[in-house]
Amino acid sequence: MRLQGKRLAWSMLWRRSAPEATIPTTHGEITNLERRILSVEFALIVLSIAAIATADRFVAPGTSLGFLYLIPMSYSALTHRWPVFVLLLAACVWLRQWDTPVEVQSWSRLALDWTLVAVFLAVVLPLRRLGRARGLFFRSAREQRDEPPHVGAQQ
């Protein structure tokens, strides 16, 4: 009897799952969802850049953790438009320079940072093109899915 009660309790627990999310169907709902997702992604990228800057400043003051900026910037390259991406990239270089001790700062270090940015962009630009092609493919697939069937077409 006691075993049956436990089974019943577990089965009731599994039935209380989270309500299923509704799937957006109209163009306005899809656009709104995409906008909300982009806002969340932007917030996560900015927060991760801030976390890296804080760790670079307080946890490792003698060394540079600037290479960790590549992680959120790689994700930003795939999700954000070009002006936002470049602005975030410039902010990361500025944060790296800001955190560098004064006795280590030099024009050669700044040149090195911008050279690394150029190398990073050389890798990221093809990825952005690939992401744009992927987005166009999915948009075309959605349009084909949503277009009405041709009248009079014989099967």
Side-chain angles (χ1 to χ4, degrees):
M1 183 70 164
R2 193 171 212 193
L3 182 61
Q4 288 177 342
K6 286 184 179 181
R7 285 185 187 159
L8 180 62
W10 278 105
S11 67
M12 289 175 61
L13 179 67
W14 288 113
R15 284 188 212 154
R16 289 187 186 174
S17 62
E20 291 185 26
T22 59
I23 298 174
T25 54
T26 65
H27 180 69
E29 290 175 342
I30 292 172
T31 303
N32 189 28
L33 178 63
E34 288 173 348
R35 208 175 290 136
R36 288 191 343 226
I37 290 171
L38 190 61
S39 298
V40 169
E41 289 172 340
F42 181 75
L44 289 174
I45 288 169
V46 168
L47 287 173
S48 62
I49 289 172
I52 292 167
T54 303
D56 198 10
R57 184 71 172 176
F58 298 112
V59 176
T63 61
S64 176
L65 300 177
F67 62 91
L68 291 176
Y69 290 121
L70 293 176
I71 297 167
M73 290 311 303
S74 299
Y75 188 68
S76 174
L78 295 175
T79 59
H80 291 110
R81 293 187 176 168
W82 184 250
V84 174
F85 169 69
V86 170
L87 179 71
L88 288 172
L89 192 59
C92 288
V93 171
W94 180 82
L95 285 168
R96 182 171 152 84
Q97 288 297 315
W98 173 70
D99 187 52
T100 303
V102 175
E103 59 271 0
V104 180
Q105 286 184 355
S106 66
W107 287 107
S108 62
R109 184 170 175 94
L110 184 62
L112 174 67
D113 283 348
W114 284 107
T115 303
L116 292 174
V117 165
V119 170
F120 180 68
L121 287 176
V123 172
V124 163
L125 288 177
L127 290 177
R128 286 184 61 86
R129 283 190 212 112
L130 183 65
R132 190 176 336 125
R134 180 179 171 267
L136 290 173
F137 171 75
F138 282 118
R139 184 179 307 141
S140 173
R142 262 186 302 210
E143 289 171 357
Q144 290 177 11
R145 178 197 67 195
D146 295 340
E147 71 183 20
H150 297 288
V151 178
Q154 294 182 356
Q155 297 177 348

